Amino acid sequence: MTENSVDAAPATADLVLICIDVQNDFAPARGPEGSAAPEITAIRSLIDTAREYRVPVVFIRELHHPSKTDLGREVDGVEDLHTVEGTPGADYVPGFGPLPTEYEVRKRRYSAFFGTDLDIILRGYQARTLILTGGLTDVCVHYTAVDAHQHDYHFRVVEDAVYGSSGPAHAAALDAMAYLQRYGVITAGDAVDLLRKGEMPTH
């Protein structure tokens, strides 16, 4: 890949789209006749828009070793064992995953910042605003948004491009994230405007 390659990721970008754990173990139920869940369709559309407008896309992928050595307290709650390396559940939902010019960040815990190089990548892009999509709203998306806030990034969680462990948990997590940043929760339409124009939503 050369510096002048059309497909090369931008050297710097104020805005980055982050796709969190769109993996088989976390994916929302399919719709009628096997159609993709609306949240999955929305995320795909945002990824396509980001690529069209040369906004960097970073894919987050939770993985655990088959030995379970790195599992820690992850299954102390209601979650079953998940995203074990080499299992179908750890794979991306079909149609997702990074291009050769995009980053994949692998994590062992809920937050995409904890014990990973995500902050190094974002600072390399000189990013200031992160658009968050994926799942689960009340777990990995929420923890990532909190750490983004504490690392002094603006975050924008796309309410119709994230999915939670339940409807009430999804709504409660969105409320908690909106409490942290005034425009922390936006719609897919707002996100498209950001990706196309780089403008912050004001409603």
Side-chain angles (χ1 to χ4, degrees), residues 157-176:
V157 178
V158 187
E159 63 182 0
D160 39 355
V162 292
Y163 42 91
S165 62
S166 69
H170 168 82
L174 291 176
D175 286 344

mmCIF file of all heavy atoms in Angstrom, residues 157-176:
data_model
loop_
_atom_site.group_PDB
_atom_site.id
_atom_site.type_symbol
_atom_site.label_atom_id
_atom_site.label_comp_id
_atom_site.label_asym_id
_atom_site.label_seq_id
_atom_site.Cartn_x
_atom_site.Cartn_y
_atom_site.Cartn_z
ATOM 1 N N VAL A 157 -23.300 7.780 20.885
ATOM 2 C CA VAL A 157 -23.857 6.433 20.797
ATOM 3 C C VAL A 157 -25.091 6.490 19.898
ATOM 4 O O VAL A 157 -26.008 7.279 20.145
ATOM 5 C CB VAL A 157 -24.241 5.905 22.189
ATOM 6 C CG1 VAL A 157 -24.857 4.511 22.088
ATOM 7 C CG2 VAL A 157 -23.021 5.881 23.101
ATOM 8 N N VAL A 158 -25.121 5.669 18.879
ATOM 9 C CA VAL A 158 -26.229 5.681 17.915
ATOM 10 C C VAL A 158 -27.336 4.775 18.447
ATOM 11 O O VAL A 158 -27.222 3.548 18.391
ATOM 12 C CB VAL A 158 -25.764 5.235 16.522
ATOM 13 C CG1 VAL A 158 -26.897 5.418 15.512
ATOM 14 C CG2 VAL A 158 -24.534 6.040 16.088
ATOM 15 N N GLU A 159 -28.405 5.379 18.953
ATOM 16 C CA GLU A 159 -29.405 4.618 19.707
ATOM 17 C C GLU A 159 -30.095 3.531 18.899
ATOM 18 O O GLU A 159 -30.524 2.517 19.472
ATOM 19 C CB GLU A 159 -30.451 5.571 20.296
ATOM 20 C CG GLU A 159 -31.266 6.341 19.266
ATOM 21 C CD GLU A 159 -32.238 7.297 19.926
ATOM 22 O OE1 GLU A 159 -32.276 7.366 21.174
ATOM 23 O OE2 GLU A 159 -32.973 7.985 19.181
ATOM 24 N N ASP A 160 -30.207 3.701 17.587
ATOM 25 C CA ASP A 160 -30.841 2.679 16.763
ATOM 26 C C ASP A 160 -29.822 1.824 16.009
ATOM 27 O O ASP A 160 -30.183 1.056 15.117
ATOM 28 C CB ASP A 160 -31.865 3.274 15.789
ATOM 29 C CG ASP A 160 -31.441 4.600 15.176
ATOM 30 O OD1 ASP A 160 -30.385 5.134 15.555
ATOM 31 O OD2 ASP A 160 -32.177 5.112 14.314
ATOM 32 N N ALA A 161 -28.547 1.923 16.401
ATOM 33 C CA ALA A 161 -27.496 1.069 15.845
ATOM 34 C C ALA A 161 -26.706 0.402 16.970
ATOM 35 O O ALA A 161 -25.540 0.044 16.806
ATOM 36 C CB ALA A 161 -26.575 1.868 14.941
ATOM 37 N N VAL A 162 -27.349 0.281 18.132
ATOM 38 C CA VAL A 162 -26.825 -0.512 19.245
ATOM 39 C C VAL A 162 -27.959 -1.399 19.753
ATOM 40 O O VAL A 162 -29.138 -1.097 19.548
ATOM 41 C CB VAL A 162 -26.273 0.362 20.394
ATOM 42 C CG1 VAL A 162 -25.020 1.095 19.972
ATOM 43 C CG2 VAL A 162 -27.324 1.356 20.902
ATOM 44 N N TYR A 163 -27.620 -2.481 20.421
ATOM 45 C CA TYR A 163 -28.624 -3.413 20.923
ATOM 46 C C TYR A 163 -28.193 -3.903 22.301
ATOM 47 O O TYR A 163 -27.011 -4.114 22.568
ATOM 48 C CB TYR A 163 -28.824 -4.596 19.964
ATOM 49 C CG TYR A 163 -27.541 -5.150 19.384
ATOM 50 C CD1 TYR A 163 -26.858 -6.187 20.015
ATOM 51 C CD2 TYR A 163 -27.012 -4.630 18.203
ATOM 52 C CE1 TYR A 163 -25.681 -6.674 19.486
ATOM 53 C CE2 TYR A 163 -25.836 -5.115 17.674
ATOM 54 C CZ TYR A 163 -25.168 -6.143 18.321
ATOM 55 O OH TYR A 163 -23.995 -6.628 17.811
ATOM 56 N N GLY A 164 -29.179 -4.046 23.196
ATOM 57 C CA GLY A 164 -28.882 -4.382 24.575
ATOM 58 C C GLY A 164 -29.258 -5.796 24.939
ATOM 59 O O GLY A 164 -29.811 -6.558 24.131
ATOM 60 N N SER A 165 -28.998 -6.159 26.205
ATOM 61 C CA SER A 165 -29.346 -7.486 26.702
ATOM 62 C C SER A 165 -30.846 -7.616 26.912
ATOM 63 O O SER A 165 -31.379 -8.731 26.956
ATOM 64 C CB SER A 165 -28.598 -7.785 28.004
ATOM 65 O OG SER A 165 -28.964 -6.854 29.017
ATOM 66 N N SER A 166 -31.537 -6.472 27.030
ATOM 67 C CA SER A 166 -32.999 -6.432 27.121
ATOM 68 C C SER A 166 -33.436 -5.019 26.778
ATOM 69 O O SER A 166 -32.610 -4.085 26.774
ATOM 70 C CB SER A 166 -33.487 -6.802 28.532
ATOM 71 O OG SER A 166 -33.147 -5.785 29.458
ATOM 72 N N GLY A 167 -34.738 -4.836 26.511
ATOM 73 C CA GLY A 167 -35.238 -3.499 26.216
ATOM 74 C C GLY A 167 -35.010 -2.525 27.358
ATOM 75 O O GLY A 167 -34.479 -1.416 27.151
ATOM 76 N N PRO A 168 -35.385 -2.881 28.603
ATOM 77 C CA PRO A 168 -35.161 -1.966 29.732
ATOM 78 C C PRO A 168 -33.677 -1.668 29.964
ATOM 79 O O PRO A 168 -33.312 -0.523 30.275
ATOM 80 C CB PRO A 168 -35.777 -2.720 30.918
ATOM 81 C CG PRO A 168 -36.819 -3.596 30.313
ATOM 82 C CD PRO A 168 -36.240 -4.025 28.993
ATOM 83 N N ALA A 169 -32.821 -2.680 29.829
ATOM 84 C CA ALA A 169 -31.391 -2.449 30.036
ATOM 85 C C ALA A 169 -30.825 -1.525 28.960
ATOM 86 O O ALA A 169 -29.994 -0.653 29.250
ATOM 87 C CB ALA A 169 -30.648 -3.785 30.037
ATOM 88 N N HIS A 170 -31.271 -1.709 27.722
ATOM 89 C CA HIS A 170 -30.868 -0.833 26.615
ATOM 90 C C HIS A 170 -31.249 0.619 26.919
ATOM 91 O O HIS A 170 -30.415 1.529 26.814
ATOM 92 C CB HIS A 170 -31.545 -1.336 25.338
ATOM 93 C CG HIS A 170 -31.480 -0.414 24.165
ATOM 94 N ND1 HIS A 170 -30.386 -0.333 23.329
ATOM 95 C CD2 HIS A 170 -32.391 0.474 23.671
ATOM 96 C CE1 HIS A 170 -30.625 0.546 22.375
ATOM 97 N NE2 HIS A 170 -31.832 1.054 22.552
ATOM 98 N N ALA A 171 -32.496 0.835 27.325
ATOM 99 C CA ALA A 171 -32.972 2.199 27.593
ATOM 100 C C ALA A 171 -32.242 2.826 28.766
ATOM 101 O O ALA A 171 -31.868 4.009 28.725
ATOM 102 C CB ALA A 171 -34.479 2.170 27.853
ATOM 103 N N ALA A 172 -32.027 2.049 29.825
ATOM 104 C CA ALA A 172 -31.346 2.582 31.010
ATOM 105 C C ALA A 172 -29.908 2.970 30.686
ATOM 106 O O ALA A 172 -29.405 4.004 31.159
ATOM 107 C CB ALA A 172 -31.376 1.553 32.134
ATOM 108 N N ALA A 173 -29.231 2.156 29.872
ATOM 109 C CA ALA A 173 -27.851 2.467 29.508
ATOM 110 C C ALA A 173 -27.785 3.732 28.654
ATOM 111 O O ALA A 173 -26.880 4.566 28.831
ATOM 112 C CB ALA A 173 -27.223 1.285 28.771
ATOM 113 N N LEU A 174 -28.717 3.895 27.726
ATOM 114 C CA LEU A 174 -28.747 5.126 26.922
ATOM 115 C C LEU A 174 -28.935 6.339 27.813
ATOM 116 O O LEU A 174 -28.278 7.375 27.638
ATOM 117 C CB LEU A 174 -29.855 5.051 25.875
ATOM 118 C CG LEU A 174 -29.652 4.052 24.733
ATOM 119 C CD1 LEU A 174 -30.886 4.037 23.823
ATOM 120 C CD2 LEU A 174 -28.395 4.380 23.916
ATOM 121 N N ASP A 175 -29.824 6.238 28.805
ATOM 122 C CA ASP A 175 -30.030 7.343 29.747
ATOM 123 C C ASP A 175 -28.750 7.649 30.510
ATOM 124 O O ASP A 175 -28.395 8.821 30.715
ATOM 125 C CB ASP A 175 -31.149 7.004 30.731
ATOM 126 C CG ASP A 175 -32.533 7.081 30.115
ATOM 127 O OD1 ASP A 175 -32.670 7.680 29.021
ATOM 128 O OD2 ASP A 175 -33.485 6.556 30.726
ATOM 129 N N ALA A 176 -28.052 6.618 30.953
ATOM 130 C CA ALA A 176 -26.821 6.815 31.716
ATOM 131 C C ALA A 176 -25.747 7.486 30.869
ATOM 132 O O ALA A 176 -25.011 8.352 31.346
ATOM 133 C CB ALA A 176 -26.318 5.473 32.247
#
